[in-house]
Each structure stands twice: as structure tokens, then as C-alpha cells.
Amino acid sequence: MTTLKDKTESAAPQARVRRKSELPTAIGFIALGLALLVLAPAVLSDFRLALLGRFVCYAIVAVGIGLAWGRGGMLTLGQGVFFGLGAYVMAMHLKLADAGADGVPDFMKLYGSGEVPGWWEPFRSPIVTVVAIVAVPALVAFGLGAAIFRRRVRGAYFAILSQALAAAFAILLVGQQATIGGTNGLNGFKSFFGFNLYDPVNKRMLFYIASATLLLMVLVVWQLYRSRYGELLIAVRDQEERVRFLGYDPANVKIVAYVVAAAMAGIAGALFVPIVGIISPASVGVVPSIAFLIGVAIGGRSTLFGPVVGAIAVAWAQTSLSESFPSFWTYFQGAMFVLVVAFLPRGFAGVGALFNRRKETA
Amino acid sequence: MNGDYLELTDVRVTFDGFVAVDGVSMTVLQGDLRFLIGPNGAGKTTLVDAITGLVAASGSATFGATQLLNQKVHKIARLGVGRTFQTASVFEELTVLQNLDIAAGAGRGPLTLLRRRSSVPEEVEEALEIIGLGDLRDKQAGVLAHGQKQWLEIGMLLVQNARVLLLDEPVAGMSAHERDETGQLLRRIGAERTVVVVEHDMDFMRSFATSVTVLHAGRVLSEGTVAEVQADPRVQEVYLGRAATTGEVRS
Ligand SMILES: Nc1ncnc2c1ncn2[C@@H]1O[C@H](COP(=O)(O)OP(=O)(O)OP(=O)(O)O)[C@@H](O)[C@H]1O
Ligand SMILES: [Mg+2]
């Protein structure tokens, strides 16, 4: 029997593609799904559930950062821009919908000319809005990526550039009091695609939508990671110049990951708006852009679940710790970030691997 | 296969006024195992850099009818010109198989890229065989021995379908046994390709070169068979009369 088996195996060496087992990933995914869709709604109060919904939005951004930074080596310090684009598109639609057909949003009557600017009009359409939530950040990222990566801007220069963009974006928004709410941002939404936002049932529904979206985004990057593209992205991250000599243009490889990450941030921003009830420049500038990154670093940037778990854990810790020790949190967060970057480049997801290696060598 | 050859005419590379390659002309035929030797700083690596698009150059470098100079790096690679580097550069976090698969895939469309590898491409399987790393296919490239990394790089050139192979010191740091294996490997793959080997190892050169070009201060000093080049008094002078006959040039 054994010899026969050996023979058949060696007769067809071509077809064999040895793969790492995907069972642990599948189990992890199911666990995440159960925790979000079953456990959390069962044990959390409406208030806490809405809070978790907000963290889930951060986690969606984190999944994209994991792809662009963890796998693609692009230190995206300005995801607030794409988060903000998605969020403002959604917020504009909600304001217009609240104002009714041909109506004028309340803040425009207060600060503006009392007329809706032409560029707001397309967002009266729910379909245009949903498309724009993905398309606007993706197109902006494509344009930026094409300009940045083709000029071979990378490393710290890329990080500083993306951070500067986030700062500029926030400043731009602050200056537009009459058309986009300025520092106050857009808030006071009453309904979400026809659903009353004051109804607790609808608030729970928003949590489910956000969680399902997060799970979908995890599936998207999972497929990217296990595809040939995922391998190529790692190659570009580690040896960009070498990849060029194999006949690829690394800029294209990076643009794909950057655009996907931007689209995810945009979707997260759009979900954030009805869940939190406000979007303002304070949520899209430099500080939130860095905050997005911290959870990813702590959770493990190159792993599939690290960014998700890290983002939710850090946001949760921030909320509970800053309630009791407001000034302490900032230091704690900074110290945590430094420690992880210095000693745990793979984040806490790397701790397990560290133990395994110890065991093997022992 | 076809009779395409690599032809350099008056190739010149200047860095801020410093002339690193000073009008090099040479022709390398298919099936020829050409060794490019010369003291440190002679301009060997810079010449390879110029042909592969890494530095700007004047003059002409053609393969077939195609001009290579001053094209984009990845375009030149797609024209069938492959190279290795003085320090082995493989993708350390990826497996041997993944390294080869990436090298084989520059022409893949988006749909293929976004899917998993369902089977090992034939050329990858062949290359694994040729470079003798079949049993290590699922090992991370980072854990390979130095010599194995160099072989992997050569394998990547094979699956990349390079017609011109420019190898920058492929046997540096290898054991005598590994050098010998590498030489045999180059002979096998060189029969139907155009191969240029930059080397300092004179024993290795004597064993495997079919022709030699000596570069000195950016110029071609001498060219011919191993015996002809060794007999050339100018070459002996450059190597101070000792290195060319006693093996390793570098200290
Ligand atoms: N990017 C650069 N800028 C300025 N000078 C350079 C550059 N690259 C190489 N050079 C110079 O050009 C000359 C040729 O260098 P090259 O690396 O081609 O020599 P080589 O023949 O490969 O030497 P080795 O045997 O040490 O590898 C050297 O003097 C080197 O200092
Ligand atoms: Mg050199």
C-alpha cells in the first residue's frame, strides 16, 4: 500500500501546491463574526453597543492600513483624508435628505447664502452617495498614489507627505463654514436612508451593518493576502528595486493596496457618520490619522486579525481609561506605541510566534 | 534558439564628472560564457547597471534589434535582460517557490494575480529542478545558505525567461564545491542564452570562461580567450603581475 501511494505521489509532482492550513484563519474569522454579531449585541447596553460600533469603524480603517502598511510597507499616516471624504459624502447626503426635496440644510441657512451649492446637489441621490463613498477616496488615492509612487517617494518621506495631506485637508474643511460646516462639521442627522436615527432598533441595525462590513473587508484582504498579488506586495515591500528587475513596475503594485486601503477608510467614515452623529475636521486631521495607526501597530500590522483586534482594543482602552484618568491615557498610548514599535515589530500578534520559536529552540 | 546577441557600442557612464565607464564596446554571442573581469572600481557593476537601466548612459547597447540603454528598468527586464546583484537579493520572507513564481509572473493579468496559485507553473518546476532546490521549495528564502540564494537568483532569471543573463559575482563567498556546481549550472543554461559573468575569482574564470573581457578604469583593456588574456602584458601589469596567475585578486 505504502509503495503504491509513494508512486502515485511521485508520478504527479506538478499538481502539488503545498499550502499552509487555512483552518486557523477560518476559525478566527468565525470567532470574530460570533463576537460581533451574536455576543456583543447580547451583552452590551445600547450605549455600549453604539460605542463598539464606532470602534468597528476604526477597525475597518485598520484593516486597510494593515494591507497598505503591514503588507505593502507604506506608512499611511494620513488615512484621515479618506475617512473624511467618505464621511463628508455620507453626511452631505444625510443633511440633504433631512432637509427634504429641494430643501436647504439648516446650517446653510444660518451661516451661508441659504442656497445649496451646485456641488452638493448630486449627493441628494442615495445611489450617487453610495458610489461616491467608495469612488471618491479611491480616485483621490489613485491620483495621489500615481504621483507619489511613480516618483519613488517612500519611507519616511511618504509618511510625512501623507500626514501633511491630512493636516491640509482638515484646514481646508475648517475654512468652509458656509458650505461644509467649518469647525462644527456636519451633525444633527435625523434619518438614515429613510430610517429614523432616534429609534434604538435602527441604531442596533447600524451596528450590524458596520460589523458585517468589517467582516466583509477582512474577507477582502484575506483573499488579497493569499493571492499571488499578496506575495508580490510583500516582495515589493521588502525589495522594491529587485522587483523592478523582474519586469514589474512596483508603483502599480503599491497603488492597488493604497487605493483599497483608501476605499476602506472611506467606507468606515461613511458608517461612522450615522453611528456617531457628527463628522468634523477634528475627526479627520493629523491626530485621528495617527490614532488609526496605533491600534494597527499594537495588534500586529502584517497579520490579518491584528489590526482589527488592535484597533478595537486601543479604542476601548482609551474610552474606559480616559474616563477615569484623562491625562494618563495620552502618555500610556504614546508609551505603548513606542514599546511596540521598538520591541514588537509584529505587534502583540508576534508574541505568540515568539513563544513558539522559544519552544522550538529549547 | 535564435542568433540574437548582445552588442555594446561606446557605452559611457559619468557620475558628476567622474567617468566610471569610458566608451566600452563589446559583443557577446549566444552560447558564449563571457567573463568580465577587472580590478575593484573598474566599472564592471556600473556597466551592468547601464545595460539594465539603473544608471543613465550614452552610446548603444542592443539585444536583437532593440536598444536597451536609457529605457525603464522593468521594460528592459521584459525585453529579456535579467541580472543578479553582488549581494544576493531574494525575497527573504517568501518561500523558494514563491520567489520563483513571482519571477515568472511579470506578464500576468490582474485576474490571475488576484487568485491563489492553483498549480506550480511548469517553468518554475523546471527551474527548481535545474537549480537543485526542489526539496527546499517550501522553505523561506531567508534561511537558505548563501550559495543557495545565488542559485535561487539564477533560477529566477530562468523563469523570468531572460535571454541575456548578467551575473554580478555569482560565486563570491561560495565554497569550492559550490563554485564548481555553479560553473556547471552556468554551462548548462548558457548554451542557449547570452551570459556575462562579472568575477574576481580567477580559478573559477579559468575553469568555465569561454571568453574574457578585461575592464580597467572604465575601458576595455583586453579581450579574448582565457589564455590570450592571461598572456597579455597589459593585463599582467594591471594585476601587478601576480594576481592573474595566482588566483584571487581581491585581498
Ligand atoms: N552611484 C555612483 N556615484 C558615483 N560614483 C560611483 C557610483 N557607482 C559607482 N561609482 C564609481 O564608479 C567606479 C566603478 O564602480 P563599479 O562599482 O562599477 O566597480 P566594479 O568594477 O564593479 O568594482 P568591484 O569589483 O569592487 O565590484 C568606482 O570608482 C565607483 O566608486
Ligand atoms: Mg562591482
Side-chain angles (χ1 to χ4, degrees), chain A residues 298-317:
Chain A
I298 289 176
R301 63 181 188 249
S302 63
T303 62
L304 183 60
F305 297 113
V308 174
V309 176
I312 293 178
V314 168
W316 195 271

Tab-separated table of all heavy atoms in Angstrom, chain A residues 298-317:
chain	number	residue	atom	x	y	z
A	298	ILE	N	-0.067	48.028	17.358
A	298	ILE	CA	-0.136	47.235	18.578
A	298	ILE	C	-0.696	45.847	18.292
A	298	ILE	O	-0.228	44.843	18.823
A	298	ILE	CB	-0.967	47.990	19.647
A	298	ILE	CG1	-0.150	49.193	20.151
A	298	ILE	CG2	-1.364	47.075	20.795
A	298	ILE	CD1	-0.871	50.072	21.137
A	299	GLY	N	-1.679	45.778	17.429
A	299	GLY	CA	-2.281	44.480	17.136
A	299	GLY	C	-1.406	43.589	16.271
A	299	GLY	O	-1.513	42.367	16.325
A	300	GLY	N	-0.552	44.179	15.456
A	300	GLY	CA	0.280	43.390	14.540
A	300	GLY	C	-0.076	43.728	13.113
A	300	GLY	O	-1.053	43.241	12.571
A	301	ARG	N	0.755	44.574	12.503
A	301	ARG	CA	0.335	45.188	11.250
A	301	ARG	C	0.307	44.233	10.068
A	301	ARG	O	-0.438	44.443	9.130
A	301	ARG	CB	1.223	46.371	10.936
A	301	ARG	CG	2.686	46.037	10.705
A	301	ARG	CD	3.427	47.338	10.420
A	301	ARG	NE	4.785	47.094	9.998
A	301	ARG	CZ	5.864	47.392	10.721
A	301	ARG	NH1	5.707	47.933	11.915
A	301	ARG	NH2	7.054	47.165	10.250
A	302	SER	N	1.107	43.181	10.102
A	302	SER	CA	1.144	42.338	8.910
A	302	SER	C	0.254	41.109	9.049
A	302	SER	O	0.235	40.253	8.186
A	302	SER	CB	2.582	41.920	8.603
A	302	SER	OG	3.082	41.151	9.667
A	303	THR	N	-0.494	41.029	10.147
A	303	THR	CA	-1.389	39.883	10.316
A	303	THR	C	-2.794	40.261	9.860
A	303	THR	O	-3.106	41.435	9.661
A	303	THR	CB	-1.446	39.448	11.787
A	303	THR	OG1	-1.962	40.529	12.562
A	303	THR	CG2	-0.063	39.081	12.288
A	304	LEU	N	-3.645	39.246	9.727
A	304	LEU	CA	-4.995	39.502	9.235
A	304	LEU	C	-5.882	40.104	10.328
A	304	LEU	O	-6.589	41.082	10.103
A	304	LEU	CB	-5.593	38.196	8.714
A	304	LEU	CG	-6.981	38.283	8.101
A	304	LEU	CD1	-6.987	39.221	6.902
A	304	LEU	CD2	-7.456	36.898	7.684
A	305	PHE	N	-5.816	39.525	11.527
A	305	PHE	CA	-6.723	39.969	12.583
A	305	PHE	C	-6.092	40.998	13.518
A	305	PHE	O	-6.797	41.682	14.248
A	305	PHE	CB	-7.199	38.769	13.408
A	305	PHE	CG	-7.994	37.788	12.595
A	305	PHE	CD1	-7.514	36.515	12.341
A	305	PHE	CD2	-9.222	38.156	12.054
A	305	PHE	CE1	-8.241	35.615	11.584
A	305	PHE	CE2	-9.959	37.274	11.290
A	305	PHE	CZ	-9.461	35.991	11.044
A	306	GLY	N	-4.764	41.102	13.520
A	306	GLY	CA	-4.084	42.028	14.426
A	306	GLY	C	-4.633	43.443	14.356
A	306	GLY	O	-4.986	44.024	15.384
A	307	PRO	N	-4.723	44.028	13.145
A	307	PRO	CA	-5.235	45.394	13.056
A	307	PRO	C	-6.653	45.541	13.604
A	307	PRO	O	-6.965	46.518	14.289
A	307	PRO	CB	-5.200	45.677	11.549
A	307	PRO	CG	-4.124	44.790	11.026
A	307	PRO	CD	-4.207	43.544	11.854
A	308	VAL	N	-7.512	44.539	13.354
A	308	VAL	CA	-8.901	44.601	13.827
A	308	VAL	C	-8.927	44.609	15.349
A	308	VAL	O	-9.503	45.501	15.987
A	308	VAL	CB	-9.704	43.392	13.296
A	308	VAL	CG1	-11.097	43.382	13.898
A	308	VAL	CG2	-9.765	43.417	11.781
A	309	VAL	N	-8.273	43.597	15.926
A	309	VAL	CA	-8.286	43.456	17.376
A	309	VAL	C	-7.589	44.651	18.024
A	309	VAL	O	-8.074	45.227	19.003
A	309	VAL	CB	-7.609	42.131	17.792
A	309	VAL	CG1	-7.534	42.013	19.301
A	309	VAL	CG2	-8.374	40.949	17.195
A	310	GLY	N	-6.441	45.046	17.451
A	310	GLY	CA	-5.690	46.174	17.997
A	310	GLY	C	-6.504	47.458	17.987
A	310	GLY	O	-6.544	48.187	18.980
A	311	ALA	N	-7.154	47.732	16.863
A	311	ALA	CA	-7.913	48.983	16.745
A	311	ALA	C	-9.039	49.025	17.762
A	311	ALA	O	-9.248	50.035	18.445
A	311	ALA	CB	-8.468	49.127	15.324
A	312	ILE	N	-9.777	47.916	17.885
A	312	ILE	CA	-10.905	47.895	18.820
A	312	ILE	C	-10.391	47.970	20.256
A	312	ILE	O	-10.909	48.726	21.079
A	312	ILE	CB	-11.765	46.629	18.602
A	312	ILE	CG1	-12.440	46.713	17.220
A	312	ILE	CG2	-12.817	46.493	19.702
A	312	ILE	CD1	-13.290	45.520	16.853
A	313	ALA	N	-9.317	47.213	20.553
A	313	ALA	CA	-8.798	47.183	21.922
A	313	ALA	C	-8.283	48.560	22.345
A	313	ALA	O	-8.568	49.029	23.449
A	313	ALA	CB	-7.690	46.135	22.037
A	314	VAL	N	-7.533	49.220	21.457
A	314	VAL	CA	-6.975	50.521	21.818
A	314	VAL	C	-8.088	51.545	22.010
A	314	VAL	O	-8.086	52.323	22.970
A	314	VAL	CB	-5.971	50.996	20.744
A	314	VAL	CG1	-5.618	52.464	20.956
A	314	VAL	CG2	-4.714	50.141	20.800
A	315	ALA	N	-9.074	51.532	21.115
A	315	ALA	CA	-10.169	52.497	21.248
A	315	ALA	C	-10.948	52.239	22.530
A	315	ALA	O	-11.351	53.164	23.240
A	315	ALA	CB	-11.086	52.406	20.028
A	316	TRP	N	-11.150	50.955	22.829
A	316	TRP	CA	-11.878	50.588	24.052
A	316	TRP	C	-11.107	51.036	25.289
A	316	TRP	O	-11.658	51.643	26.200
A	316	TRP	CB	-12.086	49.064	24.086
A	316	TRP	CG	-13.117	48.642	25.080
A	316	TRP	CD1	-12.911	48.340	26.388
A	316	TRP	CD2	-14.522	48.525	24.836
A	316	TRP	NE1	-14.103	48.029	26.994
A	316	TRP	CE2	-15.117	48.129	26.060
A	316	TRP	CE3	-15.348	48.708	23.732
A	316	TRP	CZ2	-16.494	47.920	26.193
A	316	TRP	CZ3	-16.708	48.480	23.866
A	316	TRP	CH2	-17.264	48.098	25.080
A	317	ALA	N	-9.817	50.737	25.292
A	317	ALA	CA	-8.984	51.130	26.431
A	317	ALA	C	-8.981	52.648	26.592
A	317	ALA	O	-9.060	53.170	27.702
A	317	ALA	CB	-7.561	50.613	26.232
